[in-house]
Amino acid sequence: MWSAEDVARSAVRRQGEGLSVEQVAGKVTEAQRRERETQQQLLDSPAEGRGRDEEDPADLADQWVARHAEWRRVASLMSEQGWPLYRPEQDGQGSAWARDRDTRRQDALARHARWQKERQDARDELKTQVWLNADASRRLRAIADRTGLQPEQVLAQLADRIRMDDTGALTVDTFTPH
């Protein structure tokens, strides 16, 4: 759901809060080293030799490329602004990206909730074929024609009104299909 840049920006905002210029410079150096190491690991490890549970070296390399870029951005911003410490709330661009991530996350959660509800509703639905004798079929078609409904719609409305009493007998009160 998140790109390597999204993950890096979030991690740098979290880890960078309150760090001094020197500490951020150390993070830049560390990210540069890790980027180099993961790029080398990517070259050295064949994809077919990995197990299913092992992290993909390409993903890890992408994450360190993105973290290195983000730490450099933060270091440059601190230098330009003259900040002694990094405060994420002062970082306009970082805050805008964080709001965008939160919005996308909320949208994704809402889409997922709608999808789950649709799946639940689909499980609760019953789709069936009904074979009626000729006489019942003619009566159903005549009712459907008079009401302007499809025969399936008339049957669905009939099924909505069925009640079962204590003896197990089914009853339907008089109704007009609509």
Side-chain angles (χ1 to χ4, degrees):
M1 181 169 163
W2 304 122
S3 68
E5 289 79 13
D6 288 329
V7 173
R9 291 169 182 159
S10 179
V12 168
R13 282 178 68 82
R14 219 177 31 256
Q15 294 171 2
E17 184 164 6
L19 294 184
S20 68
V21 172
E22 295 80 21
Q23 289 171 313
V24 169
K27 292 289 191 178
V28 170
T29 303
E30 177 189 2
Q32 182 180 24
R33 179 183 55 80
R34 296 294 301 269
E35 177 183 357
R36 198 172 42 249
E37 289 172 356
T38 56
Q39 291 292 336
Q40 188 58 49
Q41 180 184 9
L42 182 59
L43 295 173
D44 294 343
S45 73
E48 64 273 358
R50 271 195 328 274
R52 283 190 342 207
D53 296 333
E54 290 182 48
E55 188 167 4
D56 184 0
D59 289 343
L60 188 58
D62 289 346
Q63 288 175 25
W64 279 106
V65 167
R67 281 190 189 202
H68 184 205
E70 185 61 9
W71 279 117
R72 283 192 326 258
R73 186 192 72 79
V74 168
S76 176
L77 178 66
M78 290 177 71
S79 175
E80 289 170 9
Q81 299 295 322
W83 296 342
L85 300 176
Y86 178 68
R87 298 278 181 240
E89 64 275 2
Q90 293 176 316
D91 181 355
Q93 182 65 59
S95 295
W97 285 332
R99 283 190 301 275
D100 179 56
R101 273 192 314 278
D102 288 343
T103 300
R104 286 185 284 140
R105 179 179 181 275
Q106 291 303 319
D107 290 347
L109 290 173
R111 280 192 311 276
H112 183 70
R114 283 192 304 273
W115 175 76
Q116 282 185 312
K117 172 126 178 51
E118 288 170 4
R119 286 194 58 200
Q120 181 61 46
D121 290 349
R123 279 194 297 267
D124 291 345
E125 290 177 357
L126 173 65
K127 293 180 183 182
T128 186
Q129 276 189 324
V130 178
W131 294 91
L132 301 174
N133 64 33
D135 185 46
S137 179
R138 277 192 292 279
R139 281 183 288 154
L140 178 60
R141 283 197 180 103
I143 293 168
D145 286 342
R146 281 192 306 241
T147 60
L149 299 171
Q150 296 293 316
E152 298 84 10
Q153 293 171 311
V154 174
L155 288 176
Q157 289 183 23
L158 179 65
D160 282 342
R161 290 167 174 78
I162 294 175
R163 289 191 326 263
M164 186 184 311
D165 66 16
D166 295 338
T167 66
L170 301 178
T171 61
V172 177
D173 291 333
T174 303
F175 77 98
T176 303
H178 58 282

